[in-house]
Amino acid sequence: MSLVTLKSLLYKSNKNNYAVGAFNVNNMEVLEAVIRAAESRKSPVIIQTSEGAISYAGLKILFSMIKTAVENSKIPAAIHLDHGRNLALIKKCISIGYTSIMIDASHFEFKENIKQTKKVVSLCEKKGISVEAELGTIGGAEESVVARKIIYTDPSAAKEFVDRTGIDALAIAIGTSHGAFKFAGRQELDISRLKQIKKLVKIPLVLHGASCVPLWLVSRANKFGAKISGAEGVPDSQVALAVKNGINKVNTDTDLRLAFTESVRETLAKNKKEFDPRKILGPARDTIQKIVEHRMKLFGSAGKA
Ligand code: G3H
Ligand code: 13P
Ligand code: ZN
């Protein structure tokens, strides 16, 4: 299929109360794992690239690889810029053919966030490209997403933000963090805040930092030489509750990284003589596919393509 917009995917998920998974992709194996999972689960999907992924792989190569993979598949998929902060890069993504852009100006105060978001909406609407923005802040740290404290999204501010910016999807903060170390205390999301936001905001809602950090992956990675301690994610039951109460797009990166790391460590530890990259990365692709398939079922997007 050809690439579709985020708006078209999320219009359906909002109407029918499920979420579409947005998976971060940096290289060919992760991309293939996500596409294979979507085909096997017959699920729509959002392929997203962070600014860090683009600087790692290069915009042209990453975009052409994703476009070709989607066009060779039978599933509807959007290509989305995740946490766009650099206006020059946002413009390049728009002109190369991204069907969706996230402008993340959530680290600015309310008025400035609105101003920057509106600027990107005006660039995108001319070309029929969807826009996601964020209000409140997700915690945690990734390469290009600075560590910060969680500031929960205020429901009435969310309504005003959506009305004033004209965005297509809103990322909200209800207790999640990026990365593998999400909770100091109870692994719980603020579902009552989500319900209040959903009553006021009619556009699709997005949950970032939603990896569940499967314990079996962490302990197997540790068994084969990793040293990851204290990792904790969002339990599947909390993700399911968030989807039930109005989340329509769920972002996942950390679980894919953990699956990749576990598999590569296991393969290398068990096959000390192996040095063919295909024999090392092939199993990693399969492990990531399993994780993505599980999440598509959890989000309720399986069978919706
Ligand atoms: O939300 C952040 C994503 O996990 C991307 O992380 O900037 O390290 O590519 P990255
Ligand atoms: P995780 O770190 O929980 O996978 O979140 C990824 C994310 O929100 C990408 O935008
Ligand atoms: Zn994020």
Side-chain angles (χ1 to χ4, degrees):
M1 269 191 80
S2 51
L3 290 165
V4 299
T5 62
L6 183 79
K7 190 175 176 175
S8 69
L9 294 180
L10 299 191
Y11 171 78
K12 288 184 199 151
S13 65
N14 195 12
K15 197 168 158 217
N16 298 306
N17 194 215
Y18 63 91
V20 181
F23 300 94
N24 285 72
V25 158
N26 302 279
N27 65 13
M28 190 187 78
E29 283 75 15
V30 179
L31 171 63
E32 286 177 338
V34 173
I35 298 276
R36 287 178 186 194
E39 289 212 295
S40 129
R41 287 286 170 204
K42 297 192 175 21
S43 170
V45 71
I46 298 150
I47 313 278
Q48 57 187 19
T49 66
S50 66
E51 292 186 344
I54 291 170
S55 80
Y56 173 76
L59 180 60
K60 271 192 186 164
I61 290 181
L62 202 51
F63 176 77
S64 339
M65 195 168 66
I66 296 169
K67 186 168 183 281
T68 305
V70 171
E71 286 173 353
N72 282 342
S73 79
K74 292 188 181 66
I75 41 132
I79 173 161
H80 174 79
L81 173 68
D82 189 29
H83 292 286
R85 288 191 174 176
N86 173 332
L87 192 60
L89 182 64
I90 289 175
K91 287 181 179 167
K92 282 186 190 161
C93 291
I94 292 172
S95 67
I96 205 168
Y98 275 57
T99 57
S100 178
I101 299 287
M102 177 184 187
I103 161 70
D104 180 0
S106 61
H107 46 302
F108 291 108
E109 52 94 21
F110 190 65
K111 271 192 182 161
E112 182 61 22
N113 190 353
I114 291 184
K115 190 175 154 202
Q116 294 204 14
T117 301
K118 276 176 83 168
K119 194 187 273 179
V120 173
V121 169
S122 77
L123 292 173
C124 288
E125 66 191 356
K126 293 178 204 135
K127 297 200 162 195
I129 298 169
S130 314
V131 179
E132 172 186 336
E134 177 175 324
L135 186 67
T137 57
I138 320 293
E142 300 290 322
E143 197 178 305
S144 64
V145 178
V146 184
R148 49 205 171 154
K149 264 178 72 179
I150 301 174
I151 302 169
Y152 287 79
T153 306
D154 175 74
S156 55
K159 176 171 171 28
E160 186 183 343
F161 185 81
V162 169
D163 290 346
R164 286 175 63 182
T165 55
I167 53 171
D168 301 298
L170 177 70
I172 56 169
I174 54 169
T176 56
S177 300
H178 292 111
F181 310 93
K182 297 187 190 294
F183 297 96
R186 289 164 74 90
Q187 292 169 282
E188 261 178 18
L189 304 182
D190 190 344
I191 299 294
S192 73
R193 183 179 297 269
L194 167 60
K195 286 182 183 166
Q196 288 170 48
I197 297 171
K198 195 72 184 175
K199 260 191 203 150
L200 298 173
V201 172
K202 299 302 164 201
I203 63 167
L205 299 178
V206 183
L207 189 65
H208 283 245
S211 277
C212 84
V213 187
L215 268 183
W216 69 270
L217 272 182
V218 175
S219 29
R220 277 186 84 80
N222 286 341
K223 181 176 164 194
F224 293 108
K227 284 200 171 126
I228 304 169
S229 63
E232 253 180 347
V234 185
D236 279 3
S237 57
Q238 286 287 300
V239 172
L241 206 54
V243 172
K244 186 172 167 219
N245 286 288
I247 289 293
N248 309 113
K249 169 178 181 266
V250 179
N251 286 12
T252 306
D253 187 354
T254 297
D255 286 356
L256 314 188
R257 296 176 179 198
L258 287 169
F260 188 92
T261 300
E262 185 287 321
S263 174
V264 168
R265 282 190 179 279
E266 182 170 348
T267 303
L268 291 176
K270 286 182 174 167
N271 305 280
K272 302 244 188 255
K273 292 184 184 162
E274 189 54 71
F275 56 86
D276 179 344
R278 295 166 297 189
K279 305 265 170 58
I280 299 164
L281 300 182
R285 179 175 59 189
D286 296 342
T287 309
I288 297 170
Q289 182 180 339
K290 256 185 237 155
I291 296 291
V292 174
E293 284 192 28
H294 170 77
R295 290 183 74 73
M296 286 170 163
K297 230 176 130 194
L298 177 67
F299 305 156
S301 69
K304 299 290 197 314

